[in-house]
Amino acid sequence: MKMRTLALLAGVAILLTGCQREERDTRPDPVKGAGDQAVPVTSLAPGGERPVDTDAKAARFADNAFHMSEGKRLFDWFNCSGCHSRGGGGMGPALMDDKWIYGSSIENIHATIRDGRPNGMPAFGGRVPDDQIWELAAYVRSLAGKSSKAAAPGRNDDLMPHPSENRLPDATTLGRSP
Amino acid sequence: MTMPAKNYASTRFSELDEINEENVKDLRVAFTFSTGVNKGHEAAPLVVENTMYIVTPYPNILYALDLTKPGAPLKWAFRPNPEPTSQGVACCDVVNRGAAFSDGRIFFNTLDGHTIAVDAETGAAVWNNKVGNINIGETITMAPLVVKDKVLVGNSGGELGVRGWVKALDAKDGHVVWTAFSTGPDKDVLIGSEFKPFYDSDKGEDLGVSTWPPNAWQIGGGNMWGWISYDPDLDLIYHGTGNPGPWNPDLRPGDNKWTAGIFARDPDTGAAHWFYQWTPHDMHDYDGINEQILLDMDWKGKPRKVLVRPERNGYIYILDRTTGEVLSAEPFGAVNSSKGVDLKNGRLIVNEEKAPRTGKLVRNICPTASGVKDWEPSAFSPRTGLLYIPHANLCMDEQGVDVNYIAGTPYVGMEVRMIPGPGGHRGEFTAWDIANERPAWKIKENFPVWSGALATAGDVVFYGTMEGWFKAVSARTGDLLWQFKTSSGIIGQPVAYRGPDGHEYIAILSGVGGWAGAVVSGDLDPRDRTAALGFAGVMADLKDVTAPGGTLYVFKLP
């Protein structure tokens, strides 16, 4: 009996140490309005292609399960869902398809939320802490199936408007507009 | 044709009878005109002195076409260049429901909240007054109505916590003469000594404050984005008020006066004369802004001045328009969110089983948030005594959620997904026998009928479908007499006019969109069934049958 408990404990210990734990940034930077990096919204550049700048923060937030689940919560809190619904769009464009007016990279989406866009997207910079904008941007990518299935949010507890984010197909594979 | 509703009584009945039940099958295209805009075209063309005027959805271009020349060439175009950002605060596509003509001027509204007067002959702006503020979510989509020397305008924004109002602008220079809010203290609502509502529930001081949680009336909706009628004899205007905000009713206990109701007002001062609330403490976004048809008719053996209202909550109301008394309220489509109207106290009998609550999913609520009938105006023929009502047959699942008020963003608090109503067809065109309080006939349509109706003295009734068919049916039987497939889905308002050659013409704008067609005009993804406030999923197949694009079609006999 004792041996079995010990073996079980040892097994659990091995399992725990064997897992790579995702780092949880539970106290994100409360500072508003940071992230002033300019992000081009087009890949066309005079004089030929330019190397794409990546933001140092991008890697911290993209494909991070905790940040994406926080982004999902904030998507409601800041009324993103009021215009974009659960990704299908409404007053604003759909986010779960493969049409990205202002770019699909997490940097592009972050800039879109921060600076707004001229045809109706409000500028949330200065109103929403920068880290939370990154969390929103990471979540938006999951709606289009552009993030790791292992990290994207799972099913809702309430009304399910579409399959959960970790089961949504990568929009680029849909082949045609839905 | 100086107003979309044809006349102040809003009958949309044309006296022209050249096109009739026999010869309508020969109708053919006289001319067409591309508006160059790919959003929902809800406007009615106006025809004044051999010129046709059409106003497009955002960017709200006003075109004047010369009807005296072959092909009706463009006479001039007026481009108001509304702020592009206004598109981001328009709840349900960037529509415009038309212009109005009076005394040599065309009056119309822009999405970014301007009312503009344009010289009808030259196309030059006479005045331009900004009456709405897009930064609090205010837009204007309705067609103004000119009564005497005043231009009546109302705001949109019931999904963004915008406080509703109607303003009267001086037709000469555009300055605001009076503003009547739909919520708040009596002095803001223009309730004074002349206010004599019929029912006790509307009597009392500052009900626009006391029927709300503290200060909720300031972001409580009641927007006036629909239709206004006018009775010159009684000298009263009639206008509805939109849904209370947010949609989630748990966040605003109380009757939420004066939302989802109807006011009779003095056009000169705005002073309220009576009010009736279709849907007290509305729980389902049942905006009360549909058209009201003013008729003088025998009601149960007595001559009465009545107001007929096919209402979003599913009932056709007959009101005495001198007092606001409800004479009749019968359902004209599938309704389970309420169990009728108590004619003793005028109150809607709510079905609590279909009440959405925060965190509670309620299934199969009929009608939907868009109602048995939305904005699309009906037509009345005095020759048949029938009201021709374009409408939907839809139900929905709803779940209330918490929502934060952030000015200039949506304030709804409701998850919605719509489903087809009983029978599976999503639209109906109903001819309603007003005197006998029952349908005379019904036509089933696959998609919601989102276009207006037109009745003519030739006993032909016209309407369009969201697939793009423009149809003529018999006013007496509903039999299909003629149809023509236009380039896009139809959500516009058909009109009849006499051309410079003395012949009758029928005009309609084609161009799908609006709330029901947003899945196409906004290129939404219907895999999310809650997209477009719940409308996208049930309209997913609209993408397979039509594409956006605005075109004017005008028809005549050979």
Side-chain angles (χ1 to χ4, degrees), chain B residues 18 23 26-28 556-558:
Chain B
E18 183 186 356
N23 62 20
D26 297 324
L27 271 190
R28 59 193 58 188
K556 65 168 183 180
L557 291 172

Side-chain angles (χ1 to χ4, degrees), chain A residues 132-168:
Chain A
Q132 295 192 340
I133 295 180
W134 284 105
E135 288 178 329
L136 284 164
Y139 173 65
V140 166
R141 282 177 56 81
S142 80
L143 283 168
K146 286 186 170 297
S147 41
S148 158
K149 299 275 181 266
R155 60 164 295 138
N156 298 349
D157 287 337
D158 48 13
L159 186 145
M160 288 283 285
H162 53 62
S164 57
E165 286 78 351
N166 61 7
R167 294 181 58 218
L168 281 172

Side-chain angles (χ1 to χ4, degrees), chain A residues 76-79 81-94 96-97 99 117-122 124 143 158-163 168-169 171 174 176-178, chain B residues 58 84-92 159-160 361 397-399 401 403-406 408-411 415-417 522-533 543-544:
Chain A
D76 276 339
W77 276 29
F78 292 119
N79 292 348
S81 54
C83 289
H84 300 285
S85 306
R86 300 290 160 188
M91 295 169 61
M96 61 197 290
D97 61 15
K99 294 162 203 139
R117 296 297 180 193
N119 284 311
M121 175 71 195
F124 285 85
L143 283 168
D158 48 13
L159 186 145
M160 288 283 285
H162 53 62
L168 281 172
L174 289 174
R176 66 178 194 98
S177 68
Chain B
Y58 171 89
T85 45
S86 60
Q87 296 172 90
V89 286
C91 91
C92 317
E159 283 60 56
L160 292 98
L361 177 60
D397 302 337
E398 273 191 324
Q399 178 178 335
V401 292
V403 62
N404 296 317
Y405 176 74
I406 305 171
T409 71
Y411 188 50
E415 299 269 24
V416 184
R417 60 179 176 211
D523 194 16
L524 308 183
D525 193 329
R527 287 179 299 152
D528 171 5
R529 294 191 56 90
T530 64
L533 297 162
K543 281 194 159 187
D544 303 331

Side-chain angles (χ1 to χ4, degrees), chain A residues 92-123:
Chain A
L95 303 176
M96 61 197 290
D97 61 15
D98 195 38
K99 294 162 203 139
W100 298 91
I101 306 169
Y102 305 110
S104 66
S105 75
I106 188 168
E107 287 94 343
N108 288 144
I109 299 168
H110 171 268
T112 295
I113 300 169
R114 181 191 63 196
D115 301 337
R117 296 297 180 193
N119 284 311
M121 175 71 195

Side-chain angles (χ1 to χ4, degrees), chain B residues 308-515:
Chain B
V308 183
R309 164 62 83 92
E311 173 56 19
R312 188 134 142 178
N313 64 14
Y315 298 90
I316 293 192
Y317 289 82
I318 316 283
L319 267 56
D320 182 320
R321 69 176 184 272
T322 59
T323 62
E325 178 189 4
V326 179
L327 305 176
S328 164
E330 291 295 323
F332 63 107
V335 178
N336 66 20
S337 61
S338 61
K339 299 170 173 176
V341 177
D342 185 339
L343 292 183
K344 282 195 284 297
N345 58 17
R347 201 170 173 94
L348 186 73
I349 303 161
V350 169
N351 180 2
E352 280 297 332
E353 281 174 26
K354 297 295 182 186
R357 298 289 174 215
T358 302
K360 181 185 169 196
L361 177 60
V362 181
R363 293 178 195 273
N364 198 33
I365 304 167
C366 313
T368 48
S370 49
V372 168
K373 180 184 167 301
D374 203 280
W375 74 280
E376 62 277 2
S378 52
F380 172 77
S381 169
R383 292 169 55 88
T384 59
L386 301 179
L387 184 68
Y388 302 96
I389 312 167
H391 64 100
N393 177 44
L394 299 168
C395 301
M396 65 178 168
D397 302 337
E398 273 191 324
Q399 178 178 335
V401 292
D402 282 325
V403 62
N404 296 317
Y405 176 74
I406 305 171
T409 71
Y411 188 50
V412 173
M414 191 70 75
E415 299 269 24
V416 184
R417 60 179 176 211
M418 301 187 188
I419 48 178
H425 57 290
R426 287 164 283 186
E428 286 182 356
F429 190 80
T430 297
W432 185 266
D433 184 338
I434 294 175
N436 295 308
E437 302 167 89
R438 59 175 166 77
W441 47 261
K442 269 178 188 274
I443 299 169
K444 290 177 183 173
E445 291 287 354
N446 184 20
F447 291 107
V449 187
W450 213 255
S451 86
L454 163 71
T456 71
D459 289 337
V460 182
V461 174
F462 294 90
Y463 70 98
T465 73
M466 293 190 77
E467 294 100 320
W469 288 104
F470 186 49
K471 297 188 175 186
V473 299
S474 160
R476 296 181 194 283
T477 63
D479 292 340
L480 182 65
L481 303 173
W482 169 83
Q483 61 179 345
F484 180 90
K485 181 70 160 53
T486 64
S487 51
S488 177
I490 298 176
I491 59 162
Q493 302 166 52
V495 299
Y497 67 93
R498 190 187 300 278
D501 58 1
H503 290 292
E504 179 179 355
Y505 289 77
I506 307 290
I508 181 75
L509 277 168
S510 169
V512 82
W515 187 8

